[in-house]
């Protein structure tokens, strides 16, 4: 089974070819990702119109490149999969229409993929893990703790009630005059700072519900920065260190409760797994914190390679592979959806499942 995948839901244009062999082992034959970061950087966040236009300009070339690198023609793929949501509607239309057109012309089955399902199934491509497992998705547009129970069977345990975690890093960076995207900049400054000089809030820490909240933390950073103005480099480093420490502490609390919840729900699972995905998973301090938490609780910790944690089309192709193995193809009149929760039963929360508008 070989699937061509297409991803255009935010600010990365991506195409990939992924195969699954007879033993169920996945293999990435090609994965091309073109980031638009430079196009959006002057605005301090993703601008939807710029994103959509940039996808149109490069997508067909990227698909050609993905097929070429996989040494394959369109005839040799078994299905086409494209992200249908959630995300920025302009970009989704570009990728979905392209995927449908290719599927129609090449007469291949078409799969409309939920971007979050792509992230959720990635560890089955990289590590062949079995259901059920826990997924912590922390990116610029999403912050969710999801119980991955089976293919198409997801339960959201918690989500952000305001900003996504990557968004909180980006906004904090902006407040402190650091460039976009802010995550790596804040991490760099934090490594030089003193986390104990300032104390910042730990939103929702200690609460039974498994949700996240980061806008209060960002406001606290703003107030602190205003009081200290003009900021020295040491001030910036110390604020970043305090911010990152508060995030680590909050994640620690939220995630350890989720691990306990998983144990209670699935007492028979011998080696439970926590998977982390999303751009924020690049943060070494947060990764170490999650790794330690898992070791201390008897969980295996999986962080897919960075190129598969951030947005890519291999995860969309893989979700197509998994779906093609169990489900009928989607109809070509399926529409893109800017909001599309993985768990259709969970109550919508403001800010959750939102992408873009990071500025
Ligand atoms: O998954 P991703 O590449 O893209 C989307 O959200 O679409 O995530 C990007 C986010 C940005 O908000 C960026 O600031 C954050 O991930 N990020 C980080 C780090 N590297 C990237 N946040 C914290 N620490 C990092 N080292
Ligand atoms: Zn993503």
């Amino acid at each position: 089974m070989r699937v061509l995948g297409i991803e255009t839901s935010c600010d990365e244009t991506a195409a990939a070819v992924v195969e699954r062999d007879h033993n169920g082992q996945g293999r990435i034959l090609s994965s091309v990702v073109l980031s638009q970061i430079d196009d959006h950087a002057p605005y301090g966040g993703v601008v939807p119109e710029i994103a959509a236009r940039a996808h149109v300009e490069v997508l067909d070339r990227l698909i050609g490149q993905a097929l070429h690198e996989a040494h394959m023609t369109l005839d040799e793929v078994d299905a086409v999969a494209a992200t249908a949501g959630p995300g920025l509607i302009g970009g989704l239309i570009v990728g979905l229409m392209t995927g449908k057109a290719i599927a129609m012309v090449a007469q291949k089955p078409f799969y409309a993929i939920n971007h979050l399902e792509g992230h959720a199934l990635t560890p089955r491509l990289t590590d062949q893990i079995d259901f059920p497992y826990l997924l912590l998705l922390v990116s610029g547009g999403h912050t969710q703790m999801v119980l991955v129970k089976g293919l198409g069977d997801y339960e959201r345990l918690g989500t952000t009630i305001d900003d996504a975690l990557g968004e909180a890093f980006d906004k904090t960076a902006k407040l402190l005059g650091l460039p976009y995207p802010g995550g790596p900049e804040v991490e760099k400054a934090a490594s030089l700072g003193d986390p104990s000089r300032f104390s910042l809030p730990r939103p929702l820490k200690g609460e039974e519900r498994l949700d996240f909240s980061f806008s209060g933390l960002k406001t606290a950073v703003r107030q602190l920065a205003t009081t200290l103005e003009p900021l020295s480099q040491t001030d910036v480093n110390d604020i970043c260190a305090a911010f990152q420490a508060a995030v680590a502490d909050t994640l620690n609390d939220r995630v350890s409760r989720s691990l306990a919840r998983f144990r209670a729900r699935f007492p028979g699972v011998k080696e439970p797994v926590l998977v982390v995905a999303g751009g924020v998973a690049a943060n070494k301090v947060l990764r170490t914190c999650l790794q330690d938490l898992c070791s201390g609780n008897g969980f295996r910790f999986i962080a897919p390679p960075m190129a598969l944690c951030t947005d890519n089309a291999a995860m969309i192709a893989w979700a197509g592979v998994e779906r093609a193995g169990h489900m009928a193809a989607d109809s070509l009149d399926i529409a893109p959806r800017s909001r599309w929760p993985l768990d259709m039963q969970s109550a919508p929360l403001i800010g959750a499942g939102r992408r873009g508008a990071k500025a």
Side-chain angles (χ1 to χ4, degrees):
M1 167 66 64
R2 288 167 176 163
V3 175
L4 167 69
I6 298 169
E7 157 64 38
T8 55
S9 68
C10 194
D11 57 346
E12 267 95 19
T13 319
V17 181
V18 169
E19 75 171 9
R20 179 162 65 184
D21 65 20
H22 297 297
N23 304 317
Q25 175 79 52
R27 204 154 66 92
I28 299 173
L29 301 180
S30 65
S31 180
V32 219
V33 180
L34 199 72
S35 170
Q36 305 172 359
I37 281 185
D38 292 346
D39 298 337
H40 301 286
Y43 306 95
V46 179
V47 183
E49 291 75 15
I50 293 179
R53 191 173 288 262
H55 290 306
V56 175
E57 280 167 10
V58 298
L59 185 56
D60 52 353
R61 181 171 62 76
L62 281 198
I63 292 171
Q65 190 181 337
L67 287 168
H68 178 74
E69 287 181 14
H71 306 292
M72 200 160 281
T73 63
L74 208 45
D75 280 344
E76 293 167 291
V77 303
D78 299 299
V80 179
T83 304
L88 301 172
I89 199 70
L92 289 171
I93 291 172
V94 173
L96 191 62
M97 293 304 288
T98 306
K100 285 180 187 177
I102 291 175
M104 194 163 81
V105 171
Q107 298 192 321
K108 304 287 176 183
F110 177 72
Y111 289 88
I113 305 295
N114 182 314
H115 175 89
L116 302 173
E117 181 171 61
H119 281 300
L121 298 176
T122 299
R124 290 171 52 77
L125 163 65
T126 54
D127 294 77
Q128 274 203 290
I129 62 166
D130 292 327
F131 300 118
Y133 53 92
L134 261 181
L135 168 77
L136 173 66
L137 177 59
V138 275
S139 70
H142 303 282
T143 300
Q144 300 192 2
M145 181 62 83
V146 180
L147 201 50
V148 184
K149 295 188 282 191
L151 182 61
D153 187 6
Y154 311 102
E155 184 178 327
R156 195 186 72 198
L157 296 181
T159 186
T160 179
I161 57 172
D162 38 59
D163 294 348
L165 183 51
E167 192 182 0
F169 268 93
D170 293 337
K171 286 180 175 172
T172 294
K174 200 172 180 182
L175 282 169
L176 300 176
L178 299 171
Y180 173 85
E185 301 291 330
V186 171
E187 182 177 13
K188 214 185 308 161
S191 70
L192 305 169
D194 170 8
S196 63
R197 181 171 156 209
F198 306 113
S199 174
L200 292 171
R202 271 69 171 152
L204 297 185
K205 185 178 172 185
E207 292 210 13
E208 201 52 44
R209 63 193 281 202
L210 297 175
D211 291 325
F212 302 85
S213 166
F214 297 108
S215 75
L217 189 51
K218 172 196 65 196
T219 307
V221 168
R222 177 183 292 123
Q223 282 164 350
L224 185 57
T226 312
T227 338
L228 292 171
E229 240 151 37
L231 297 175
S232 68
Q233 189 58 52
T234 308
D235 293 335
V236 170
N237 295 347
D238 291 348
I239 295 175
C240 287
F243 170 82
Q244 197 170 262
V247 169
D249 199 19
T250 308
L251 275 189
N252 204 62
D253 175 71
R254 310 283 74 210
V255 176
S256 62
R257 278 166 198 275
S258 306
L259 301 185
R261 194 75 66 87
F262 185 93
R263 282 243 184 247
R265 288 280 296 276
F266 300 101
V269 175
K270 295 243 167 15
E271 198 191 25
V273 172
L274 170 74
V275 179
V276 67
V280 183
N283 188 295
K284 290 184 201 67
V285 173
L286 301 183
R287 257 187 201 238
T288 308
C289 159
L290 293 170
Q291 171 77 69
D292 292 349
L293 197 57
C294 283
S295 313
N297 285 278
F299 269 69
R300 182 177 161 205
F301 177 63
I302 296 182
M306 241 2 262
L308 293 177
C309 273
T310 54
D311 289 349
N312 65 88
M315 69 179 190
I316 302 305
W318 175 253
V321 167
E322 294 239 37
R323 287 199 158 250
H326 292 89
M327 294 161 185
D330 289 306
S331 143
L332 287 184
D333 57 15
I334 196 160
R337 305 172 62 171
S338 57
R339 288 186 69 87
W340 185 5
L342 256 191
D343 176 355
M344 299 302 274
Q345 312 301 320
S346 60
L349 285 177
I350 299 157
R354 188 182 58 181
R355 289 181 67 77
K358 288 189 233 166

